[in-house]
Amino acid sequence: MNVFLLTLLSSLSHAVPLQMNHQGRIEDVNGTGLSGSHDLVFTIYDEESAGAALWTETKTVNFSNGYYSVILGTDEESNPLDEGILKMHPLWLELTV
C-alpha cells in the first residue's frame, strides 16, 4: 500500500505543468508599437554574455500597439519548461523578434 501511494503521489506531482506568463511591449525605431502577428523566440541562458542556451521556444504572437502576452512552456510533451532549469539562478531571458 505504501508503495502504491508513493507512486501515485509521484505521478501527481508531475501533473502540474510549469508555465510562465510573459508580457511586454515592443516598438520599432520610430517608437511605434508593433501590430499584427510576429514570431518571437524566447531563450533562457545561464550567463548574461556567451552563456549556454538552456531552453528555447518560438511563439507566433499577435501585437496590439506593441503590447503582447504569451505563456511560455505550453508544449509540455516536446519542449517542457523544466523545473531544474528554473531552479538555477541567475538566469537570463532573451527575446528575438
Side-chain angles (χ1 to χ4, degrees):
M1 172 109 165
N2 288 340
V3 174
F4 175 72
L5 181 59
L6 179 61
T7 303
L8 178 62
L9 291 176
S10 174
S11 66
L12 289 177
S13 69
H14 296 291
V16 178
L18 292 173
Q19 298 178 351
M20 181 172 62
N21 185 24
H22 178 78
Q23 301 173 27
R25 185 166 194 252
I26 298 178
E27 300 175 340
D28 64 17
V29 294
N30 298 318
T32 303
L34 292 182
S35 293
S37 180
H38 297 274
D39 288 339
L40 300 181
V41 180
F42 297 87
T43 306
I44 295 177
Y45 289 93
D46 62 354
E47 296 287 335
E48 181 177 4
S49 178
L54 304 174
W55 178 86
T56 189
E57 182 172 34
T58 301
K59 296 275 193 183
T60 301
V61 179
N62 290 317
F63 285 79
S64 177
N65 192 27
Y67 293 99
Y68 68 93
S69 179
V70 296
I71 299 176
L72 303 176
T74 56
D75 186 357
E76 299 166 25
E77 302 242 348
S78 301
N79 191 27
L81 190 52
D82 188 271
E83 180 179 356
I85 292 172
L86 296 179
K87 285 184 178 180
M88 300 170 64
H89 56 81
L91 295 171
W92 284 263
L93 178 65
E94 176 184 80
L95 171 61
T96 305
V97 180

